[in-house]
Amino acid sequence: MFWQKEIETAPHSEIQKLQLRMLNDTIERAKKSKFYSKKLQNVNQLKNIEQIQELPFTTKEDLRGGFPYDFLAVDLGEVVRLHSSSGTTGNPTVVYHTAQDLQSWANISARCMYAAGARKNDIFQNTMGYGLFTGGLGFHYGAERLGMMTIPIGPGNSKRQTWFMQNFGTTTVHILPSYAVRLYHSMKEDGIDPKKDLKLKIFFIGAEPHTEELRREIQELYGLKAFNSYGLSEISGPGVAFECGEQDGMHIWEDFVIPEIIDPDTLEVLPDGQEGELVLTAINRRAMPVIRYRTRDLTKILPSPCACGRTHRKIARIKGRTDDMMIINGVNIFPIQIEKTIMNIPEASKNYIIEIAEKNYMDKLSVKIEINDEAFDGTLEDLEKLKHKIETELKSETGVSPIVSFVDQGTLPAAEGKAKRVYDLRKK
Ligand code: AMP
Ligand code: ZN
């Protein structure tokens, strides 16, 4: 039933005692980094866990500002891995890991997968991206730790994915929820019925927001159980919170992170059950402790205990964000990245809108730009070249492929005050 029964089912008061110890150690370790040596200068050992509320927050801007090494709390020689998050313009956010950090991350990832029902004899196909994105490597090591035969196939190429599933009897898959649906349609086109022809039992779905309805649809299409998986690279990556067999909220491993929910406007800490922004403190990291990190993700801590017996509290499905980050087919993008690119193109006017639509479970990002009559006086062919140029630059800035179109000057709604530029037409 449990990967680590003792800690997973420990009385919550015991977990809190452990958290206090781990938090105090973390504060001491964090002070070795340039950033926290200043930020935590006047912070001494805490006497109770509630005192975490007296610590300062850390934001994504802090992480970017601390590029490249201000958050590093150990000698560089101790660091064995770097990951970096998508969705930033300018300096990326970088996260470092020691060998011990990677072991502890693999352990909580294994705990997640075990809680969802994965076992040593399962065959695990990881369709998440390997590389700087944490989805691939994060669960790769967790799955190996659990003992599953792990197929590091990475994303895309649906026919190949299906071929591996058929030939190796894949039972467990880590997959973006939107891709799960597309993969099903590719199988159907090739006359494969996953319910009859494959051995799939469990999907871990995450890295992007999705609804309960979509989860149910995936479960029905494939005839399996799909478990919601939440994580973010600033706090390692996947494995931060995960559904157990009850499929009713995600356990957040409280011997790995301390969760808080705050009101994003007043920054006041809210009681369990109330919705707000999730704030996380990583209490088991050596290379890069992160204290009270404002995730910008909206959720709540579920107040009632879980029937599975695990005592680590649960968070609800992520409801949205408190900033303007968009997640396009699993890739994080901020509108400012698009704006920055457009502003560097003289033929484009400063008026543009971004539209996100959904077709066959693929997000489609389009950018409509008013042409700048004064700077552009070309033929249709020139316009086509310009479109191609902007699309290429947007791809290189954001990592996704938007479709650019032009409209005449003065056609888009005039920006009054704070312009509404992003139109998200996807089903929520
Ligand atoms: P990254 O750091 O690139 O892994 O992106 C992390 C962000 O992806 C989180 O802060 C969330 O906004 C989003 N995310 C990750 N997992 C989920 C999930 N299961 N449901 C909703 N959003 C998610
Ligand atoms: Zn549970």
Side-chain angles (χ1 to χ4, degrees), residues 244 251 306 308:
C244 62
H251 286 284
C306 188
C308 77

Side-chain angles (χ1 to χ4, degrees), residues 106-163:
N107 181 54
I108 57 136
S109 299
R111 215 193 258 175
C112 289
M113 296 189 234
Y114 198 94
R119 296 293 179 269
K120 194 177 171 316
N121 291 334
D122 277 309
I123 294 171
F124 173 64
Q125 191 159 323
N126 194 359
T127 75
M128 290 288 184
Y130 279 73
L132 290 172
F133 175 57
T134 54
L137 286 167
F139 266 6
H140 179 98
Y141 285 97
E144 287 187 353
R145 177 74 171 261
L146 200 152
M148 293 193 275
M149 179 170 100
T150 299
I151 307 174
I153 191 162
N157 199 339
S158 298
K159 281 187 196 305
R160 191 151 153 265
Q161 299 283 359
T162 311
W163 187 88

Side-chain angles (χ1 to χ4, degrees), residues 60 84-87 93 132-135 176-177 205-211 227-238 241 250 278 293-298 316-321 323 325 327 330-332:
K60 200 175 186 84
S84 173
S85 171
S86 57
T93 50
L132 290 172
F133 175 57
T134 54
L176 286 175
I205 51 171
E208 64 185 9
H210 57 282
T211 56
F227 295 87
N228 194 358
S229 153
Y230 169 80
L232 62 164
S233 30
E234 294 86 343
I235 309 285
S236 300
M250 298 178 278
L278 180 67
Y293 182 66
R294 291 191 58 184
T295 65
R296 304 281 174 183
D297 289 320
L298 281 172
R317 183 178 290 285
I318 304 295
K319 254 193 118 174
R321 300 212 18 117
D323 62 7
M325 187 176 95
I327 304 189
V331 180
N332 305 348

